[in-house]
Every structure is written in structure tokens, then in C-alpha cells.
Amino acid sequence: MTALDLSSPVAVVGTGTMGQGIAQVALVAGHPVRLYDAAPGRAREAADAIGARLDRLVEKDRLTAADRDAARARLEPVEDIAGLADCALVVEAILERLDVKQELFRALEDVVADDCLLATNTSSLSVTAIGGALANPGRFVGLHFFNPAPLLPLVEVVSGFATDVTSATCAYETARAWGKTPVACADTPGFIVNRIARPFYAEAFAVHEAQGAEPATIDAVLRESGGFRMGAFELTDLIGQDVNESVTHSVWQAFFQDVRFTPSLAQRRLVESGRLGRKSGRGWYDYSGENGAAERDEPHTAEPATPPAYVVAEGDLGPASEVLTLIREAGIQVREEEEDHGTRLVLPGGGQLALADGQTSVEFRDVVYFDLALDYRRATRVALSASQDTSPQTLAEAVGLFQALGKKVSVIGDVPGMIVARTVARIIDLAHDAVAKGVATEEDIDTAMPLGVNYPIGPFEWSRRLGRNWAYALLDDLHLRDPSGRYAPSLALYRHAYASDKREGSTS
């Protein structure tokens, strides 16, 4: 089945921010659009608001005046659900309550034609459960737009347990015809983006709760080393702490309180105190200043230190091999020692510098760990971790080394897996688990995460760069140190890493 013909009327039920955005997308694409809201007068108000946004598009030369006038002529607010009778697609964007949505769709079934496609924009409820109230759930599908819908390209097309393939295909092709980038996924808690993104927030909060680093430092490391557009604390302040926690709690409950999705107690306390982020004037950061500007502590940045004259490389540092190139370019001598599986640097004082691997510095004699970076050449900050037993000389030499490479250095507590490494490993694990369970394809996941939450690259691309067994090895070490199950690698990731080892072993 192909996309809906542009002559087919599209209805949007619910005229809040998301409903208006979806209506605008369909309208600009060329469809006649009907707006309906149960609250009297809201549909008319929404139509006026959409008209004003079309005016702004004309002012910005993103829409011609003629196209605006034609779009306005196609937009019709209706005061009764019966006014949606001839629509070919109805998209719901109302209150996130299962009973309310089910009641709406039962009413719609009595009004629209048998071949009308019914869709929900839910982000947290089961598409299968909503559609289960219908006499014909085969024509029911999830169309999850991201806010603001006119600007963000991603649409998750969610097939419930009873959704017909033809219905999902029509929804997918229609979203693509509207200029969006659709991805197909099965009905699972959080769909693609909200399922796989949980560790980005959870691990930042966990490092903070363990007193490994303060929010400003964690955010700076995620941005400047991990390559993420925003850190977890500033992003949840923007989203709204209550909204972000609600999604986390919903996913956790839907997975029968799976420990991998456990909500953060620190975030719970923030919500309980009314510190909801930008919208309340305070969250992790303070926004009570002029024009809501964020007031936050500066990230920890180490004082200048003298770089070592040389380092001894045991192996090629694996995913951090670029660091060796940067050290040589900085004029620091690299002495190489043959090491079959070495991933360490030995500093002049005898201490060691190693890439974060899920172990802790306190377990070893005089070791400093450094965090993962998306691109060590372009990274502007690198995090180091050390224990109370690490010698001051070793830490100073490690700080000076990375400063000589032009990096700011943040020293955090002795947290296994540090910040970026543990976050990326868990994202990779959840992505592999999702594919193994038929949620989505690798390609759709790698499309969804950069578009839906601005990740620098998709988890499978990251996995390819880091090596097939990197995430498994790090999580396995983390799991030994925290046997709660939170870091236990999935069976899918285990199979991925083990298959790689077998292939490599057979060709060596």
C-alpha cells in the first residue's frame, strides 16, 4: 500500500502543541486537515495558531504567500466528531491515558469509514493496548512524532500486535511523503528512541549519585568528549524533570521493573521538590536569572601540569589508538613494547594510564583511567579517574599528558566505566537487544537515535568503531562490580562478541 493521496482528508484529534504540529505537517504537505478537540472552541483557537505559524513561515521565506493561503483554505476546525466522517487518516494526540484514548477510538470507529487508518501519537502507552479496544485493530498504528513536529524529521511507525502490514506500510509511506524520516518498529515500551536512550540519563545520574562528579562536569564530559549535543542534566532540565522521569518510570514498569531501566532516586527527589527544570526556574541548574539564563557551577578542570617527557605504549590502546598519534604529534616520545593485548601507557614515574574498561583504579597499583571519546582528535575535554591510592605523580603526569594534547582535563572519582564509556556501552547493549527481539533493524535504530535525540552517531556505528566485543567486555567487568543486573550484558551482545571471537580465532 502506498501513501495516502493528497486529496484525502486527514484529521487530528487533540489540539495541544503536538496536535497542532502534526496538523501543520499534514497541511503543508497538501492534505485537507480537520481539527477536533473535545473542549469547545479549542479547535478554532488551534486553527488560528496554525495560521499564525504559516504567516511566520512566509516571513522567513520558507513558504510562499500563495501556498499559505491554499493551506489555510484546507484547514477546517470541527466542533463535533461526526465532522471527521470522510477522513482517510485520524491521528490522535490527546491525554496520555489508556482509558481516554480507547474511548476516543471506539467513538471514531462509529464515525469513520472502514478503510480509514487510525493512528496514535502516544510516546509511553502500548499501541497494542489502545488498539485492543477496537473492533478492527488491524487498521490501528502508532505514529510517534517528536516535538516540535514541524521541525524534527523522525517519526516512529509502531505496529501493534494486531496491526496489519498494509496499515503500517501506508502510515510509513504517508509519513515519508510528508517529508519526514520514518522508522518502523514493533510495539515495545519506549519504542526505539525512548527505550535505547534510557542509559544516557541513567548513567549520568548514577555517576552523580555515586559522588563521582557534579552535574556540570558530567555534562561537559558528555558534550566535549562524548560528542553529544547536550549533557544529560541540561537536557532533562530542558525536557522537564517530571516529563523525563515519567517516561523512565513508564518504561521501567512496562518492562516489569527490569533493573536496567530503574529510575533515579536523585531525579525523583528533584521532581518532588518542584525543581522541574527550565519551566519551573530551577532543576539541576538554576534558571532564575535574567531571561532564564542558566546559572551553573563550572565543570571541574584540572590546573596546568607538566607533561611527561615520554610514555611507554603497551599495545595500541585499542579504540583509543588515536591518542598515540596525538602524543607523537605533541612532541612526546612514545616507546613501544610488544604486548599481545596491551591497552595501557606506562608513565615515567611507573604509574599506568589505561582506557576505561569497567574496572576501578583502586584494584590496581597506581593506575589512572581515561574516558572514551567519540573522536580524540576533536575532543576538547578528557576525563580521568583515580583512587585515593593513586600516586600524585602518576595523576599529575596523566593530566599533563592530555593537556599537552590540547585537552581540558576533568578528574572524577574512581567510577568503573567512567562517564562516556559506560553510557555508550549500555546504549550499544540495548540496541543489540532491541534488534534481537525484533523491535527494529540496525539501520532504523542508527537512523532514529541521531534524529530523535541528537546522538552524534548511531549505536551500531559506534559499535563498529569500537570493536565488536568492546561493549560486552566493559559491561561484563561492570557487572562483576555491580551484580544487581543493571550492567549484565544482554544475550544478544554476548552472541555478537562471541561470534566475533570465533571468526577471529578461525583466521589467526
Side-chain angles (χ1 to χ4, degrees):
M1 190 172 184
T2 58
L4 293 176
D5 188 271
L6 289 180
S7 63
S8 303
V10 171
V12 177
V13 179
T15 57
T17 300
M18 184 58 78
Q20 290 182 29
I22 296 170
Q24 181 180 329
V25 170
L27 191 65
V28 171
H31 288 272
V33 173
R34 311 279 165 73
L35 285 174
Y36 172 72
D37 197 294
R42 288 276 181 85
R44 169 54 62 188
E45 292 173 3
D48 291 341
I50 293 170
R53 282 199 291 272
L54 295 178
D55 288 339
R56 289 194 290 274
L57 291 177
V58 172
E59 293 169 3
K60 296 176 181 179
D61 292 326
R62 296 178 183 173
L63 191 70
T64 68
D67 286 341
R68 173 201 58 195
D69 295 342
R72 278 181 165 171
R74 294 193 302 271
L75 181 61
E76 179 186 356
V78 299
E79 294 298 326
D80 192 288
I81 198 171
L84 311 182
D86 65 338
C87 290
L89 167 64
V90 180
V91 184
E92 163 272 317
I94 63 172
L95 185 67
E96 284 285 274
R97 271 183 49 185
L98 178 61
D99 58 335
V100 175
K101 291 181 187 291
Q102 287 177 328
E103 182 181 358
L104 168 66
F105 283 108
R106 279 194 294 262
L108 284 168
E109 272 199 311
D110 293 335
V111 170
V112 299
D114 291 343
D115 60 350
C116 175
L117 186 64
L118 300 178
T120 175
N121 184 59
T122 186
S123 61
S124 61
L125 299 176
S126 164
V127 171
T128 299
I130 300 171
L134 301 179
N136 178 16
R139 61 167 164 174
F140 187 72
V141 67
L143 274 177
H144 181 217
F145 290 77
F146 287 73
N147 193 29
L151 297 180
L152 296 186
L154 185 66
V155 177
E156 292 176 318
V157 181
V158 186
S159 293
F161 185 77
T163 302
D164 292 335
V165 173
T166 53
S167 298
T169 302
C170 179
Y172 185 98
E173 293 300 335
T174 297
R176 186 158 63 176
W178 290 356
K180 296 301 181 182
T181 303
V183 291
C185 64
D187 184 22
T188 184
F191 309 141
I192 296 175
V193 172
N194 280 327
R195 172 180 177 145
I196 295 174
R198 297 344 294 162
F200 179 73
Y201 313 109
E203 294 312 307
F205 298 161
V207 171
H208 174 54
E209 289 173 353
Q211 300 187 32
E214 291 305 305
T217 299
I218 297 170
D219 277 354
V221 172
L222 286 169
R223 288 193 313 268
E224 299 172 40
S225 184
F228 293 96
R229 185 75 59 86
M230 299 178 73
F233 297 91
E234 58 189 337
L235 180 55
T236 52
D237 268 357
L238 178 64
I239 294 169
Q241 297 302 331
D242 53 338
V243 174
N244 181 261
E245 192 211 26
S246 176
V247 173
T248 299
H249 195 271
S250 174
V251 172
W252 175 61
Q253 289 284 20
F255 276 113
F256 306 106
Q257 300 186 358
D258 186 329
V259 69
R260 295 177 301 165
F261 301 99
T262 301
S264 162
L265 181 59
Q267 187 179 40
R268 176 90 290 263
R269 294 291 178 259
L270 207 64
V271 173
E272 289 174 339
S273 69
R275 297 184 175 186
L276 306 182
R278 287 183 178 272
K279 63 185 177 183
S280 69
R282 188 160 186 177
W284 295 108
Y285 302 117
D286 186 352
Y287 303 91
S288 61
E290 187 175 352
N291 298 321
E295 294 183 12
R296 64 187 74 177
D297 295 333
E298 289 296 315
H300 174 271
T301 302
E303 294 295 323
T306 302
Y310 69 90
V311 296
V312 178
E314 295 183 350
D316 63 1
L317 296 188
S321 59
E322 180 73 1
V323 170
L324 290 176
T325 302
L326 296 175
I327 292 172
R328 292 186 178 97
E329 291 176 357
I332 298 172
Q333 182 185 7
V334 177
R335 302 175 183 173
E336 297 185 12
E337 287 190 1
E338 291 296 329
E339 192 76 28
D340 288 343
H341 301 288
T343 56
R344 299 173 298 178
L345 296 177
V346 180
L347 300 166
Q352 297 180 353
L353 182 62
L355 176 63
D357 58 7
Q359 302 182 87
T360 56
S361 179
V362 74
E363 299 172 53
F364 306 97
R365 186 187 68 81
D366 214 12
V367 169
V368 172
Y369 280 105
F370 65 98
D371 207 352
L372 181 69
L374 173 68
D375 181 335
Y376 283 100
R377 182 173 293 277
R378 298 178 62 184
T380 58
R381 183 180 299 271
V382 172
L384 303 179
S385 69
S387 75
Q388 65 270 24
D389 295 331
T390 304
S391 77
Q393 179 183 353
T394 296
L395 182 58
E397 288 176 342
V399 169
L401 176 66
F402 279 102
Q403 288 175 340
L405 308 187
K407 317 300 181 187
K408 297 177 182 178
V409 176
S410 293
V411 179
I412 69 170
D414 189 16
V415 180
M418 301 190 68
I419 298 171
V420 180
R422 71 196 291 178
T423 300
V424 170
R426 287 207 60 215
I427 289 170
I428 289 172
D429 183 46
L430 289 186
H432 277 280
D433 186 53
V435 171
K437 292 176 178 173
V439 174
T441 65
E442 291 187 12
E443 293 75 16
D444 275 353
I445 289 173
D446 268 7
T447 296
M449 301 312 291
L451 292 181
V453 277
N454 276 320
Y455 283 7
I457 56 177
F460 289 98
E461 173 61 23
W462 224 323
S463 183
R464 286 187 288 272
R465 291 189 185 190
L466 295 170
R468 291 176 62 93
N469 65 352
W470 176 86
Y472 174 80
L474 187 142
L475 290 176
D476 195 41
D477 276 335
L478 266 171
H479 178 54
L480 289 174
R481 287 149 186 82
D482 179 0
S484 65
R486 178 187 181 107
Y487 300 103
S490 67
L491 180 59
L493 191 63
Y494 172 79
R495 285 172 171 158
H496 179 74
Y498 180 69
S500 173
D501 286 343
K502 282 186 66 178
R503 281 195 294 272
E504 290 168 1
S506 66
T507 58
S508 60

